[in-house]
């Protein structure tokens, strides 16, 4: 049933068009690495970096401006960076409320759920304690939670979060 509620999986190809980016260039820091500038409209650079470090695990990030960051990584990592930014760079009240995508390289899933004000920190604690989710990021503006784990843990986490949201309404 939950799979019917989930928005259809987002392809990584769509992420390339959803977020403004500069053309990736070879990075001088490590062989095979590329550099991309990622722009966003609704979130701050700080929130973007928090989500990317937690969800993608990419550490080579730099703030260019409040609405732009620079990322170094493989083509696959940069594609995932673009996909995650595309998921979290949403305006308050923007639909869909829930979105997910499958990461083919490790068969994990990433899910994003818009929450009511002041619920993201609580949701993050629930996911860590009850589902043992390790890759979780809570954002304040807009209020949302994004997490990455196995499809089973994503499904269990979304059920818990849905019940939390329903109980607060």
């Amino acid at each position: 049933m939950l799979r019917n509620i989930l928005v259809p999986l987002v392809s990584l190809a769509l992420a390339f068009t959803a977020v403004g980016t500069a053309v990736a260039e070879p990075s001088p820091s490590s062989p095979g690495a590329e550099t991309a500038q990622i722009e966003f409209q609704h979130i701050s650079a700080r929130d973007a970096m928090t989500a990317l470090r937690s969800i993608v695990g990419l550490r080579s990030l730099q703030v260019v401006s409040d609405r732009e960051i620079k990322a170094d990584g493989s083509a696959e990592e940069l594609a995932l960076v673009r996909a995650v930014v595309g998921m979290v760079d949403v305006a308050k009240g923007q639909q869909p409320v829930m979105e997910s995508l499958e990461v083919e390289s490790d068969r994990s899933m990433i899910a994003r759920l818009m929450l009511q004000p002041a619920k993201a920190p609580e949701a993050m604690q629930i996911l860590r304690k009850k589902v043992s989710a390790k890759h979780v990021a809570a954002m304040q503006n807009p209020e949302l939670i994004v997490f990455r784990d196995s499809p089973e843990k994503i499904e269990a986490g979304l059920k818990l979060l849905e019940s939390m949201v329903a109980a607060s309404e």
Side-chain angles (χ1 to χ4, degrees):
M1 179 175 112
L2 185 61
R3 295 225 184 256
N4 294 336
I5 296 172
L6 286 174
V7 175
L9 295 176
V10 178
S11 72
L12 290 177
L14 285 177
F16 285 105
T17 59
V19 181
T21 60
V23 175
E25 302 169 359
S27 173
S29 59
S30 62
E34 298 177 355
T35 299
Q37 299 221 179
I38 316 290
E39 298 174 354
F40 27 88
Q41 298 176 351
H42 304 289
I43 59 173
S44 69
R46 180 178 178 214
D47 280 346
M49 289 181 63
T50 298
L52 293 172
R53 285 184 174 133
S54 298
I55 304 305
V56 179
L58 195 62
R59 299 286 182 240
S60 55
L61 302 165
Q62 293 178 319
V63 173
V64 175
S65 71
D66 191 47
R67 299 285 184 220
E68 185 176 6
I69 60 170
K70 184 171 98 173
D72 293 332
S74 68
E76 183 179 335
E77 288 171 326
L78 295 179
L80 190 54
V81 163
R82 290 179 183 103
V84 170
V85 170
M87 289 179 79
V88 300
D89 188 25
V90 294
K92 285 184 181 181
Q94 183 175 328
Q95 297 295 326
V97 172
M98 189 183 319
E99 187 175 10
S100 66
L101 69 87
E102 185 174 351
V103 181
E104 291 182 23
S105 63
D106 65 359
R107 299 186 189 262
S108 67
M109 286 187 75
I110 300 173
R112 186 258 300 152
L113 180 65
M114 302 283 286
L115 300 170
Q116 297 182 4
K119 294 292 182 185
E122 179 183 346
M124 188 165 78
Q125 292 303 317
I126 287 171
L127 290 171
R128 285 191 172 148
K129 289 180 182 176
K130 295 190 177 185
V131 184
S132 301
K134 293 180 180 147
H135 305 286
V136 182
M139 300 177 72
Q140 300 297 318
N141 193 15
E143 193 83 16
L144 62 88
I145 191 94
V146 60
F147 61 110
R148 177 180 183 178
D149 220 308
S150 68
E152 297 79 19
K153 284 190 178 184
I154 292 289
E155 189 170 336
L158 288 173
K159 283 181 183 178
L160 284 170
L161 294 179
E162 285 176 337
S163 64
M164 181 188 89
V165 169
S168 67
E169 292 177 345

